[in-house]
Amino acid sequence: MTPIDAFTWPPERLGEGIEELARRAGLCGASEENLVPPASVTSGQGTDLGRWIEWAGARLGIEAESVETTYTEIDALIQGAGPAVIALRGGQGLRFLLVMRPGRRRVHLLAPDLSVRGCAVGPIREAVCAGLQAPLAREIDQLLERAQVPVRNRPRARRSMVDERLGAHPVGECWVLRPAPAASFLGQLAQARLPRRVWGMLALFAMVYLLEILGWGLMGDAALNGRLDMGWLGAWVLLLVTLVPLRLLAEWLDATFALDAGRVLKKRLLAGALNLDIEAVRHQGAGRLLGRVMESQALESLALNGGLTVLVAALELAFAVSILAIGAGGRLHLILAAAWTLLTIGLSLRYHRRLRGWILMRLAMTHDLIEQMVGHRTRLAQEWPAHRGQSEDQTLKEYLDRSRRLDGAVIPIAVVMPTGWTLLGLLGLAPAFVSGTAEASSLAIGLGGILLANRAFSGISGGLAGLARAVIAWEQVVPLFRAGAVAGRPAAFLPSLDAAPSPANGPRDKLIDASQLVFRYRPQGEAVLRGVDLTVHHGDRILLEGSSGGGKSTLAALLVGLRKPESGLLLLNGLDRPTLGDNWHRLATEAPQFHENHILSGTLGFNLLMGRNWPASEEELLAARELCIELGLGPLLERMPAGMMQMVGETGWQLSHGERSRIFLARALLQDAQLTVLDESFAALDPETLRECLNCAFARARTLLVIAHP
């Protein structure tokens, strides 16, 4: 028994361990969920383990993210991951380590008896890498024996040789637990301990300003009372030296806060982008979506930095007002500061209105530009040359006019407000200075308050400008943010073994059972499908023909779960959509129409296996290659220098329409779903290639539905 065995969890208790680990880490509360892994998980075979851990996390309302690493980086993973689940595969079979808190030398693990104990990184590394090191041990020992390496040097030599052989080899199965993107946004910020940093920054800035005021007081009192000597200068220099690390620490906290808060925000926006309704994405267009992405970046940088700038500047202004109140200007300075603050806010609101109009027009121009770039060849071929550029010239003229108006609103905020306050503050000191009733120390205090308020107004004006920009950006990305908060409870886990029809099922058992289906794209629009009845049995080969606009593709989207019917009953293997959840997509897949399918920028292997498993194993890459050859893509693979690892897409290897069609077909067939729908997948193929691809689809698809025109 190794020292690490006392910390390992058996597969049968993995659900209990994940729930307890998440609860102790503050990721979720007490749950009545009974997470029992199925046999396909406890056996450790296939890909069900990772899927089940992610599913279990979703059931608890958290996210379990798979983390990949290499042999040389395993120490960094162990020292930095937590809370996390690490799988061990060795002589005792599949076991698990539950990491509570990581550490550089010792890692705190949750033991099966629910105690938390520390363990050195070394034994954990050896347990994780044991399966890789064992096959090499005998070979390396024989080599060291033949080379007559001294016994005392062999451990070091053995370690170096193992590192060299396994350096880039993927190792370890690790899942990091973290709040789900749909969790409370404020809760995620609290989980990242960001509110504490805000209070820490405010405390540091307050300390900095108090020390600055103290320094001014020391020098002013010494100079005005004739006591300026080396002792007073030394005290002043000491205060200045103390300010340097405090300011650096405050700025560091500010920067790390912005980075971590931006990470949480990006996670929510990305989840929202993936949760957007398919029709909403279709109607917005590429240009508007690109505009939302651009605004999300602006929101992250401007909202955080601008908000913190205004917060710090408001703190500065509060100190400045308290100083002005006891200075020579007194009540007059307070009235002037209040009036100047209101003027700053008013000018910022005017800037916000003009900036909003300018940004909306820029986003519209971005959308138009993308549309024109995509349709450039069409415009060259079909649009009259005399008409090209007319609308663009008018739009550009209006854009330049809005830009000039925006510049006119920026200058008062960026230039006039900070410098104008200095002049106004000096005018506020003028009555006391001219009358000669004020003491020199009171005048000095008033002057110090003016300078501090000048810095505060500079920060407020710049921060409000950034916040105005962020508010407009928020208007653009709020649909993504709200969509990211939507998270349904995952349906029951569907093991891979259940994806295939049960041997007890006969070839005529129902796969799809649909009755009285109704679907419309808009609530008040005309129904595209009405009263549709359809039965598909296991092993069927069905050809669906119809005229354009008849609803063939809409029906296909319903069958594979891309859309939901407005009414009617739709069952897959006897189960409805709420019961199957996302498992529906594993059981039914589609190769969409050519104009809705896409070759992503990446390797050919990724484009083929993205719906099955990626990163892919050697066996999966070999299966994909064999299918490509069967579809007549062998010559293409021979021409590609990198074969399956060749980069394809818009910026990679250019593929013909026929080659793309066959890759789309291969992508669908490689998923090995119970139902495969091919929507106009053969339209770009010549008769000989068509026959070849049809034979391949008939041979490989379990149940096949082909959509075509008559």
Side-chain angles (χ1 to χ4, degrees), residues 555-563 577 584-585 588-590 675 677:
L555 177 60
L558 293 177
L559 296 181
V560 298
L562 291 177
R563 295 189 177 95
R577 179 63 183 271
W584 192 290
H585 300 298
T589 189
E590 176 193 19
L675 173 65
V677 180

Side-chain angles (χ1 to χ4, degrees), residues 213-372:
I213 293 171
L214 180 60
W216 291 348
L218 286 175
M219 292 302 295
D221 183 68
L224 295 174
N225 294 308
R227 298 198 306 268
L228 188 61
D229 54 22
M230 293 303 297
W232 288 101
L233 285 175
W236 180 64
V237 171
L238 182 61
L239 283 174
L240 291 181
V241 172
T242 306
L243 287 173
V244 173
L246 290 178
R247 277 197 171 276
L248 290 175
L249 180 58
E251 294 295 335
W252 178 80
L253 285 175
D254 186 0
T256 56
F257 173 85
L259 288 174
D260 290 340
R263 171 179 53 82
V264 176
L265 178 61
K266 280 183 176 179
K267 183 179 178 181
R268 168 61 65 85
L269 294 179
L270 177 59
L274 297 176
N275 283 345
L276 282 178
D277 181 73
I278 185 173
E279 293 304 320
V281 174
R282 183 196 302 272
H283 291 156
Q284 288 183 37
R288 288 190 177 88
L289 290 174
L290 177 61
R292 292 189 188 278
V293 173
M294 294 165 59
E295 292 307 300
S296 67
Q297 182 65 31
L299 175 65
E300 176 194 349
S301 58
L302 294 171
L304 298 175
N305 295 331
L308 291 174
T309 300
V310 171
L311 191 61
V312 173
L315 181 63
E316 287 182 332
L317 185 59
F319 277 112
V321 168
S322 63
I323 294 172
L324 290 173
I326 61 176
R331 182 177 300 176
L332 178 59
H333 262 163
L334 295 180
I335 295 174
L336 293 176
W340 203 252
T341 301
L342 293 176
L343 181 60
T344 301
I345 295 174
L347 290 175
S348 297
L349 291 176
R350 186 183 72 155
Y351 169 74
H352 174 267
R353 289 193 300 270
R354 295 189 179 182
L355 178 65
R356 188 174 187 276
W358 180 82
I359 288 179
L360 292 179
M361 186 170 187
R362 178 177 61 80
L363 292 177
M365 291 177 63
T366 302
H367 173 71
D368 293 341
L369 177 62
I370 296 296
E371 292 294 315
Q372 291 166 13

